[in-house]
Amino acid sequence: MLDEFQKAFCEADAENIRLLAPAGSGKTHSLLYRCVSQHKRTGGKSRFLIVTFTRAARDELQGRLQSAEYASVASSTEVTTLNSWGWKRVRDRHHSPRLVTKTPERSFAVQNSLQPIWSANKRLEAAFKKQPFVAGKVVLNLIDRLKNLGFDHRSMTDLTHAERHIAALRDVGLGAFISQTNEELVEIGAIEHAKVNEGFNIFFPFWKKAVKSLIEQSIFTLEDQKYVALRNIEDQLKEQRFPSGGSKFSDILIDEFQDIGPLDLQLIRAIAQLHRARIVIVGDDDQAIFEWRGASPNYILKPHIFFGHKFETFILEKNYRCPQNIVRAADRLIRNNTQRQGKNVIPVSSFDASIEVFENDNFTDSIDAVVDVVNEFVVRKDIGRERIALVSRKRAQLIPYQIILAQKQISFCAAEDLQVFLSDAFDSLINLLTIRMEAHERRMTRKVVEDVLSLCNQVKRYPLSKADQAALRAFLSGTRARTIIEAIDALESYDGQLKGPNAQRQMSLYFAHSLRKYCESDTVSAAVEAISECFSGLQKDYGKAEEDIFYSDPPFHYLARYADRYDDDFESFLEDIENAADTLANTPSEEDAKDPIWERPVHLMTALRAKGKEFHTVVILDANEGIWPSKQAETRQQIEGERRVFYVAMTRAKKRLVFTLSRKIGSAGAVPSSFLAESGLMKTLV
């Protein structure tokens, strides 16, 4: 059955349609019924291409097509991801194409296949010679970024064309990616810091040559599945070779349109032109939460500008998922955004959810309150297939819960982007904590020296060179130091080269000070905080984050707050972390949605991962200002983006919605998130 809003959309005889589908409004059901209706209207002559952006969404749509209500269009409908559709086209048109996805392959492609090009640029050449592995990763990531942002190595013949495109990116709120590109070029030494604003101008000519060369060598990245397919379609359009018969689609329907970026938009537009097809774009501007990866809500808000023709708009106004008080609170919140399409959202349910805000004295009490909610949930006799989700803004917020749930033997699922415990960087952190635990113990000099070298390798952003390590090892071995502290004392007198010149032992004194501050920390919490302060090698890092998720959001702050409860018991802390890591090691990829592990009742995820899911109970963690919204959000556009993330988190709940917040986090005072007041929920404080 269709409600009046769904029916109006499904039966509309419009050329191009924009369907705005708020959370829980029956979007997938409506999208497929639109195909059924259009198929009837054309006497069975319509063929449909439904484009989505994840394999899980594709599989869900394909599964629904097998049901009897959609049988009439099943054989006339292709459901695909944009990447999959593009890669099929690339394979058909390029001899022996090689898709490079693993980091070593990507780095090798840049270091070797592109060597004649980057070696012609003195600054890039210097970066590759100084740190080839890091430079290779960063440069290929930047090459892909410019593709994703819609740059064209063929038509943008000079910087003037590129600058026009940059202006267009700024118009849709994506200009920050150009600044970020400049900063990353500075980080690898390809651009001098004083010339940071010139980074793009220097990189762009190299980018054009590099993209051309890789395509000619049939070396493709994941981004090329769309980028190269787009270039091929453009050639086909110029030659006016249009598909016909069974290969022609009459209607193209794009799901989650609010999540598309510039390259996605260009490819969708080209596919529609090639097939001369009607377009239906489906999504919700209020759930546009992927700007961080190059998406822009402007595309769904103003499609007529970007497609060059009119769209008739339909809105699914009924919410079938959430209880009425959650629908109304979420609506009050999101109406504070100015960059949105106004909507009238009607709750179908007359049921009120339990909405609670737990305000605690400190972060430790908040953790305990959440664990109590989880315990209460999992011991219910009527739990059935119901699930509870702990939802955070940052992945680091979830680390304490991974540890404590494993400690209490409560099984849980965690999305793959939360597998920080399984990263190499986290192993380094554990190694540092183990060294601190043993810092005052007397041991063999050889072991002491190796531990000190491990510490030294994390003080700066990159480890010591092999030559520096060998020289320092020989010096420290000669001191016969039997404890870490003795070795640090000796390090102060070392006058050999250490990360470059070591005039008047200044670098040795700096290293010794960093190591001493860490090794003399008296509690687990202080040690974790000292790691974040003293060891640059484990701090946030653009280049390293592509390889190891740890570096995109280092977990020190929340890990230190959780560690308060251990005092100086390093051994228990490390044992509990090991238990949590063992639990995570058994969690499958989210793409494997049919794995029975995902039926577990407890789920941990960021709000970005929660999109598209629903749960009996949702606990929104740390609803404090500076977290929701993030303290990095400064502009109106950024605050509105944060508000959309909070809106998505709220609208995942079907029966119970819980917020936790603290009056103090660490030693700093904390206040409730302004989003709670905007939602009208502050009156529920307990």
Side-chain angles (χ1 to χ4, degrees), residues 431-432 434-436 438-439 443-457 476 484 515:
N431 182 49
L432 295 184
T434 303
I435 291 171
R436 163 60 191 85
E438 301 171 347
R443 293 174 296 153
M444 297 293 293
T445 298
R446 179 182 60 79
K447 177 59 177 169
V448 168
V449 170
E450 292 307 315
D451 283 348
V452 171
L453 286 172
S454 292
L455 295 174
C456 287
N457 279 331
L476 292 175
I484 298 290
L515 268 56

